[in-house]
Amino acid sequence: MADKGKMDQAKGKAKEAVGKIADNDRMKAEGKMDQAKGKAKEAVADTAERTRAAKDTMRDKHR
């Protein structure tokens, strides 16, 4: 999912750049939203990964 987040961020940056060149406020805003969505996906994936690691650590300590 982190890879998907990176893709959303890249797509958003490209869309925002095209929006700036075309002077299209809607496209710029969509690009910023895509970037934010990508960052959120990365944060969720990172949190899930950290949670799994902590859970594994706790399980190993109780054995």
Side-chain angles (χ1 to χ4, degrees), residues 23-61:
D23 195 28
N24 184 325
D25 291 337
R26 181 177 177 181
M27 189 171 277
K28 286 190 281 188
E30 286 178 7
K32 288 181 182 184
M33 287 299 296
D34 286 343
Q35 290 177 62
K37 182 170 65 171
K39 288 179 183 178
K41 284 181 181 180
E42 281 188 315
V44 168
D46 184 49
T47 300
E49 186 177 317
R50 288 176 188 236
T51 301
R52 277 191 295 276
K55 187 176 175 183
D56 291 343
T57 300
M58 294 302 289
R59 186 178 305 132
D60 291 343
K61 285 184 178 181

Side-chain angles (χ1 to χ4, degrees), residues 8-20 27 31 35:
D8 284 338
Q9 288 181 52
K11 179 178 76 170
K13 284 183 187 255
K15 195 181 283 189
E16 184 180 6
V18 170
K20 286 180 181 178
M27 189 171 277
Q35 290 177 62

